[in-house]
Amino acid sequence: MTKFDNYINGEWISADHYVKNINPSDISDIIGEYASANAAQTERAINSAYSASQSWGDSTPQERFNILDFVANELFSRADELGDLLAREEGKTLPEGKGEVMRAGQVFKFFAGEALRLNGEILASVRPEVDVEVTREAVGVIGMITPWNFPIAIPAWKIAPALAYGNAVVFKPAELVPASAWSLIEILSRSGLPKGVVNLIMGAGRIVGEAIVTSDKVGAVSFTGSVATGENIRSKAASRGAKVQLEMGGKNPLVILDDADIDVAVNCAVQGAFYSTGQRCTASSRFIVTAGIYDEFVQKLTAATKALKVGDARDSSTQIGPVIDEKQLQSDLDYIDIAVKEGAKLVCGGQRLDLDKKGFYMQPALFIDTSPHMRINKEEVFGPVASVLKVSDYDEALKTANDTEFGLSAGICTSSLKYARDFKKKSQAGMVMVNLPTAGVDYHVPFGGRKGSSYGSREQGSYAREFYTIVKTCYIWAI
Ligand code: ADP
């Protein structure tokens, strides 16, 4: 069995302990054994990033461009191979896996360009003969803690801007998906990056993650994951004065009005709720449907949901891959029980599937006759589970859509410009989709939510600069 080590100060370093990476489509398939670091190794990784950060902060835009562009080009050229690896360890289908690798490449390309565009401002002072310069500097060391659902794209959209703006990186991927992270860092290790600038430290959240969050040498922490972990990280990192950026859960609504194109609406619902096995923080889990279109929508959505083919992520006929692991599958099934007990009507799916290969398969579940107070409409399930809520008109739909502690993405299907415009304005989500699924975003524009979904400044696009830089204001008197 091949062992994969951590990358610290430009070297591959073995660990005392290794964890098996299991294919969720076929649990007899072990992808490899991945290092699980202890606190002392994490400390070494942080120290090496800290030592490297000063000179990397002085690197030229051209050096940064060359490295990020190299990574982008290799991701593009190896998208089939790395997409297959991603599908094998995470359970996404092959097109989804390859698409995610391409996305990671596009993110690196974008930030290669951003490295060349870092600018500041010169303003006239209110005092005579004085100029004011506003510039941006690197933060220093950025700690990154990532989840399992986008094993290469989320690391890419944190690492690429960190490097573009001159920061060093300590990166801890999720325990369940180390192979994509390792592959990305392996590419970076051959990119010409000086030693210590990027460090990969695989291991447990409570050991490695905790050490990153609490180290005084880590100037900023970017986290994507669950609400509970995010809140814990916020209190620890913010209390020592570090910058913090959190992307957490969602309970994203898709409103369907009477005047919607029914086929567009059903397609948005199926894509948004069930693709990637519903394991996206932007997945739609609440379909809020006005009375005039309700019956037709439910009938067509039920048929489309039943027709989804669940199977091995790497089988070309599969539309919905497995759930990530046994624990998540059990949690999804528990939510099915809770919803049924609370009076929701299960119209299809919701059961574990036993296929030829032993894996974590579940038939996508659809509930109708649900109401806003039910747990299924309040808590994030993070699986292929969605529910339908019937409302009388647009006003009730808007109120129901905003009736959540989350605010990541919200969608509306309508042919009315008036309602679409109103929804764009009044939705309490960070991202609003009109006649499009709630999940599926562009790589060159800001990503993030409101309320309990996100904290700190936005990720991605040129907005990422806010988190990965610190502003300096200089006054110059020309005597
Ligand atoms: P999920 O349910 O998606 O696994 P988590 O929030 O538990 O969500 O995990 C997201 C990331 O946070 C993972 O990389 C995990 O190892 C890390 N993590 C978990 N617990 C902690 C912690 N106490 N401190 C820092 N990171 C943690």
Side-chain angles (χ1 to χ4, degrees), residues 3-4 28 30 108 131 179 184 204 361 386 390 398 418 424:
K3 286 194 155 127
F4 296 86
S28 68
I30 310 296
F108 271 90
D131 288 326
L184 177 61
Y361 298 106
K390 189 178 191 172
L398 174 68
K418 179 178 150 215
K424 275 196 299 170

Side-chain angles (χ1 to χ4, degrees), residues 269-293:
V270 171
Q271 289 279 341
F274 302 125
Y275 276 71
S276 298
T277 321
Q279 299 177 144
R280 295 185 282 193
C281 45
T282 49
S284 19
S285 49
R286 297 181 294 140
F287 304 129
I288 300 163
V289 189
T290 47
I293 200 172

Side-chain angles (χ1 to χ4, degrees), residues 361-373:
Y361 298 106
M362 175 176 170
Q363 190 67 35
L366 183 65
F367 285 101
I368 61 167
D369 296 346
T370 74
S371 52
H373 71 269

Side-chain angles (χ1 to χ4, degrees), residues 258 260 262-263 266 289 291-302:
D258 287 355
I262 187 78
D263 295 326
V266 170
V289 189
I293 200 172
Y294 183 87
D295 289 341
E296 190 186 3
F297 176 77
V298 166
Q299 182 241 318
K300 289 199 164 160
L301 178 60
T302 306

Side-chain angles (χ1 to χ4, degrees), residues 145-148 172-176 203-210 213 223-230 232-233 236 327-328 382:
I145 299 173
T146 59
W148 49 259
K172 190 208 100 60
E175 295 91 312
L176 290 170
R206 65 181 190 288
I207 298 169
V208 175
E210 180 84 19
V213 170
F223 166 84
T224 304
S226 66
V227 173
T229 308
N232 176 19
I233 288 175
K236 286 186 176 141
K327 188 166 151 248
Q328 183 64 48
F382 218 67

